[in-house]
Amino acid sequence: MDEVTVVVAHSERATLRVGDVFLKVDADQARIDVEVEAMTLAPVPTPKVLWRKPPVLAIAAVAGTALGHLGEPSTASPAAWTAAGAAVRKLHEAPLPPWPGRRRRGPDELAAELDAECDLLVTNGVLPADLVTHNRDIAEAAIRPWTRVFTHGDLQIDHVFVDGDEVTGIIDWSEAGGGDALFDLATLTLGHEEHLDDVLAGYGIDVDLEVIRAWWSLRSLLGVRWLVEHGFDPSAPGCEVDVLRSRM
């Protein structure tokens, strides 16, 4: 009999694995709706939806292994990273989905969110003020007008699966929507900047590297407090706090 494995669990949602089936439990029905529709529309390999019975979504496991994990060296080949870049380009060239996206819909909203978060990080003593201020200055380059494209919205390397040099599936689409293409590229390479050239070789068009580096700082600043509050450790080696420190 298959064991039940807790993949991730926090106050917002939980994901369980039973054999080759993942059960995603989420009280936010809109988030599940986005995930299912995004997987239908995305022109890249995605998990097969087996059934839905709110608040549970059942999807099939995808073949292969994750491209890597934040805080650990990636064992994937350079060609696999290049294939991931090509898959991201294919997604970004697809027609925009018919919903606006769940967050960060423009530079003004992003700037306000970042300012508020930086104030909380310093006021609550979560991070040193000099670390926050320096990375806030770097993050400024990401706060600019962008052309909205079909983005995954949470393209961590754990969400991209490969088998050899081929992308076999991209998972966890609940944050998908119209957004900044460089946010996806920065999220994919967060903590693994040594693979950025491989990803961009697959992506195939020139991008502003300063903006990608800005998103590394920006995403980390926005994520630290949420991670702490939901039982994760952003101070683990190679994770978000190390990313911020590497910018100093």
Side-chain angles (χ1 to χ4, degrees):
M1 188 172 183
D2 292 321
E3 293 184 352
V4 176
T5 302
V6 178
V7 179
V8 64
H10 49 75
S11 61
E12 293 183 3
R13 68 190 318 193
T15 301
L16 311 176
R17 180 168 186 167
V18 186
D20 289 332
V21 176
F22 285 89
L23 302 176
K24 308 190 78 167
V25 184
D26 195 329
D28 186 341
Q29 187 60 43
R31 187 157 48 200
I32 289 292
D33 291 343
V34 164
E35 183 152 12
V36 171
E37 190 167 0
M39 288 191 293
T40 301
L41 295 175
V44 295
T46 61
K48 179 182 179 181
V49 175
L50 300 176
W51 51 266
R52 295 176 67 188
K53 187 176 181 181
V56 181
L57 168 67
I59 60 175
V62 298
T65 57
L67 190 61
H69 305 285
L70 186 62
E72 301 176 10
S74 171
T75 59
S77 68
W81 282 88
T82 298
V88 177
R89 170 76 180 278
K90 191 172 183 180
L91 174 66
H92 291 170
E93 290 182 334
L96 280 168
W99 61 90
R102 294 174 55 87
R103 57 181 180 173
R104 297 167 199 157
R105 299 176 188 177
D108 292 341
E109 180 181 335
L110 179 61
E113 181 182 1
L114 180 60
D115 286 342
E117 190 62 32
C118 288
D119 286 344
L120 288 170
L121 289 171
V122 174
T123 301
N124 296 337
V126 180
L127 292 174
D130 61 337
L131 185 65
V132 172
T133 299
H134 184 75
N135 278 276
R136 172 63 180 83
D137 290 343
I138 294 172
E140 186 68 30
I143 303 173
R144 86 276 178 232
W146 59 75
T147 300
R148 293 172 65 246
V149 300
F150 191 162
T151 57
H152 180 279
D154 191 21
L155 197 63
Q156 305 173 47
I157 53 173
D158 302 76
H159 294 163
V160 180
F161 279 70
V162 295
D163 186 1
D165 300 336
E166 178 183 356
V167 174
T168 54
I170 299 177
I171 66 172
D172 285 2
W173 291 82
S174 62
E175 301 297 330
D180 181 5
L182 300 194
F183 176 66
D184 270 355
L185 293 172
T187 302
L188 181 62
T189 54
L190 182 76
H192 289 271
E193 59 186 272
E194 70 276 10
H195 294 292
L196 178 59
D197 287 346
D198 296 322
V199 169
L200 295 182
Y203 196 69
I205 56 175
D206 291 336
V207 301
D208 190 330
L209 297 181
E210 182 184 6
V211 174
I212 289 182
R213 296 185 183 104
W215 269 119
W216 288 337
S217 289
L218 204 161
R219 181 182 170 96
S220 297
L221 287 169
L222 292 180
V224 166
R225 195 169 56 88
W226 185 95
L227 291 165
V228 171
E229 292 175 353
H230 288 80
F232 301 100
D233 184 10
S235 298
C239 294
E240 284 82 359
V241 175
D242 271 358
V243 170
L244 295 172
R245 288 174 178 152
S246 71
R247 303 296 103 193
M248 298 295 285

